[in-house]
Amino acid sequence: MKRILLYVDEDSCSEALLRGLCTRGWDVRSVHDDGLAGRTDEEQLTHAAGLGRVLLTANTKDFCRLHRDWMAQGRHHAGIVCLRQNLAVGAILRQLLPFALDTAPEGMQDRVVFLTG
């Protein structure tokens, strides 16, 4: 099974999280890797969608609104995973890794998933 590709936005982008994902073999990009720090949430989701990457964020409110707007407009994205604010890196990895191993990329299409810790 193909693995989900991740794009980590500014709200979730910690060195510890990126290192944890990379050391576990994940194909992960961040807002900093792509030179998009400071861009709008809309631009971040557009970028992630264009790359076919699931966006990982702790900015639940704004990305849920964007998801709703995109669905109403007939636009598509590769998925959004919302984290609870201040969730520890270990807790993120413990939830994200098994979930993503059981979920094919096409299973995340236009979907929002919540990791609560």
Side-chain angles (χ1 to χ4, degrees):
M1 177 191 308
K2 286 175 48 177
R3 204 179 231 194
I4 291 171
L5 305 175
L6 292 176
Y7 179 75
V8 182
D9 82 339
E10 285 178 277
D11 293 313
S12 305
C13 195
S14 76
E15 281 300 314
L17 177 59
L18 293 173
R19 192 171 39 255
L21 291 166
C22 288
T23 58
R24 287 163 178 80
W26 281 74
D27 184 335
V28 60
R29 297 203 54 81
S30 76
V31 60
H32 301 295
D33 293 330
D34 292 353
L36 297 176
R39 299 285 180 91
T40 67
D41 295 335
E42 173 88 24
E43 290 171 302
Q44 299 296 346
L45 186 56
T46 299
H47 182 69
L51 297 173
R53 290 180 176 270
V54 172
L55 188 134
L56 182 65
T57 185
N59 187 356
T60 300
K61 182 179 132 190
D62 291 336
F63 281 98
C64 284
R65 179 190 47 78
L66 275 172
H67 167 74
R68 184 187 66 240
D69 293 348
W70 277 39
M71 295 302 97
Q73 297 165 12
R75 296 175 72 187
H76 302 282
H77 58 76
I80 301 169
V81 174
C82 295
L83 307 171
R84 193 182 80 221
Q85 288 282 348
N86 302 318
L87 193 58
V89 170
I92 294 169
L93 294 173
R94 279 190 300 278
Q95 289 183 66
L96 182 62
L97 298 174
F99 161 77
L101 288 173
D102 291 338
T103 307
E106 54 275 5
M108 278 301 298
Q109 181 76 32
D110 297 330
R111 204 171 143 204
V112 178
V113 173
F114 300 88
L115 300 183
T116 59

